[in-house]
Amino acid sequence: MAKTFVLTLKRSTNKCTQDQKDAVRCLGLRKIRSTAEVKDSPAARGNIMKVQHLIDVEVKG
């Protein structure tokens, strides 16, 4: 069974750089308190590291 991450956007992306906004969008998050389940991959981990101050991460599986 593959490991997945459950991500929740906890802060706004208003004053973030465009790169961080793109990373949040790539992870499937749109509004504050929205959640998304993302499969573990190097690309997903990179995006999570870029915006770790904006999201909550839970490991599942």
Side-chain angles (χ1 to χ4, degrees), residues 2 5-7 9-10 13 15-16 23 26-27 33 39 41 43 45 47-49 52-53 55 57 59-61:
F5 299 113
V6 178
L7 309 174
L9 186 62
K10 64 178 181 177
T13 59
K15 294 190 177 182
C16 293
C26 238
L27 291 170
R33 291 187 299 277
K39 290 184 180 178
S41 68
R45 284 180 181 250
N47 283 330
I48 289 170
M49 291 302 291
Q52 64 186 349
H53 59 288
I55 60 176
V57 181
V59 179
K60 182 178 176 185

Side-chain angles (χ1 to χ4, degrees), residues 1-52:
M1 187 167 142
K3 186 170 31 171
T4 60
F5 299 113
V6 178
L7 309 174
T8 304
L9 186 62
K10 64 178 181 177
R11 300 193 61 199
S12 174
T13 59
N14 279 346
K15 294 190 177 182
C16 293
T17 63
Q18 188 62 43
D19 192 39
Q20 290 172 333
K21 290 178 185 180
D22 293 341
V24 168
R25 207 52 118 120
C26 238
L27 291 170
L29 300 169
R30 291 179 179 254
K31 296 181 177 181
I32 295 176
R33 291 187 299 277
S34 65
T35 60
E37 193 167 325
V38 178
K39 290 184 180 178
D40 185 15
S41 68
R45 284 180 181 250
N47 283 330
I48 289 170
M49 291 302 291
K50 282 183 190 177
V51 294
Q52 64 186 349

